[in-house]
Amino acid sequence: MDDFSQVPAVHISRLHHVYPGTRHEAPRLALDGVNLNIPTGAFFVLTGPNGSGKSTLFKILSGLTRPGLGTVSIHGQDLLAVPNRVRRQMGVIFQRPALDKHLTVLENFQIHAGLHAIPSHQFQPRLDAALAWSDLQTRLHTRVGTLSGGLARQAELVKVLLHEPQLLLLDEPTAGLDPGGRMAFMSTLRRLQKKRNVTILMTSHIFAEAEQADLVGILRQGQLLAMDAPSRLTARLGNEILVIQADDPAAIAHTLTNRPELSWQIHNHELRIQGTQLPTLMADLLQAQRARIQTLAIKQPTLEDLYITLTGRALTSDEEEENR
């Protein structure tokens, strides 16, 4: 992992938030004492299942929601005490587009520059710098509504870069992009991070994106279960994991009860086994349980494996966050 500044870009302490109840629903705990430090210049990806608190945390950081308890500081400044000053340091991309599709790309940029009081003599140099990495140089006079999904996402990023933010908050920014578009967008973020020393906080359900980050955090039920570099997180599961798909994985797991050197978890129709001498175990199980086994394989642990181990479920691409 890179050497980052000692002053955190984001410092969250004992963050707690409850949505009040209604006549038909009880109060709902969204964040339960979250502590988080993101170093300046880091690329941080946050994952978590539906209802884990990601959206609530994102809304608090972007200034849309005030937490019940706790403190949030951005580059040493209290977000809750001086929100306007802190928000000027941020660039925010929401999951849903925030461009006016009836206006041209340039008109959207001009409106954003006006909202941030960017002097007119600085607009063109900043626009040129923000456009340098993009494919939008020849599309400035195109209506946003006619752009492809990938170009529209590029326009969102160019827009928020105009006021030169130190912190980028991105909520599922690659949603709706094809694999090539996602790869290009992630490469762009990495280049911006390195060139401008921008801190990036991004939510994503795509583990291939999280594996490119410097730090990954996993939220569940309002609590931060884990946060570390991707390689160190996957190392928690050891060097290898045996994954067995079977009609009755519990029956196979029952045969392992006298093997204290092994640990396992059942997820849907998968039995996931960690421990030593997995190749020998695989051969033994294949011989003794062939009728029950559909597939089996030894693999290196991934972030998705760790996620399933910690949360007991897979993360689907179509999850809707917290009654969005």
Side-chain angles (χ1 to χ4, degrees), residues 281-295:
L281 175 65
M282 181 173 70
D284 292 344
L285 289 176
L286 189 59
Q287 182 176 4
Q289 304 288 335
R290 182 182 294 272
R292 289 193 174 108
I293 293 174
Q294 298 171 349
T295 65

Side-chain angles (χ1 to χ4, degrees), residues 87-133:
R87 278 199 291 261
R88 282 194 289 269
Q89 304 176 32
M90 299 179 187
V92 182
I93 295 181
F94 296 98
Q95 187 172 353
R96 295 185 179 182
L99 295 171
D100 190 322
K101 65 181 181 180
H102 300 292
L103 300 180
T104 67
V105 173
L106 180 59
E107 287 169 340
N108 273 277
F109 294 162
Q110 290 170 333
I111 290 172
H112 184 78
L115 291 173
H116 284 269
I118 297 174
S120 57
H121 69 278
Q122 292 184 11
F123 175 72
Q124 193 60 48
R126 291 195 186 193
L127 179 59
D128 292 340
L131 285 170
W133 56 267

Side-chain angles (χ1 to χ4, degrees), residues 45-49 52 54 203-205 207 210 216-219 307 315:
V45 171
L46 183 67
T47 66
S52 64
K54 296 197 308 294
T203 67
S204 177
H205 65 269
F207 291 99
V216 175
I218 299 176
L219 267 181
Y307 183 90
L315 191 64

Side-chain angles (χ1 to χ4, degrees), residues 136-194:
L136 292 167
Q137 289 90 341
T138 61
R139 309 298 293 272
L140 291 178
H141 299 289
T142 301
R143 271 197 316 112
V144 168
T146 66
L147 295 177
S148 67
L151 286 176
R153 269 313 192 195
Q154 286 190 23
E156 295 260 16
L157 186 53
V158 169
K159 182 193 73 171
V160 301
L161 291 175
L162 286 174
H163 64 280
E164 299 179 344
Q166 298 172 277
L167 171 66
L168 286 178
L169 302 177
L170 313 175
D171 188 12
E172 299 281 359
T174 62
L177 300 185
D178 59 35
R182 288 200 302 267
M183 187 178 300
F185 191 84
M186 294 298 293
S187 296
T188 295
L189 290 181
R190 266 303 195 184
R191 290 200 302 273
L192 288 170
Q193 177 204 12
K194 301 300 182 184

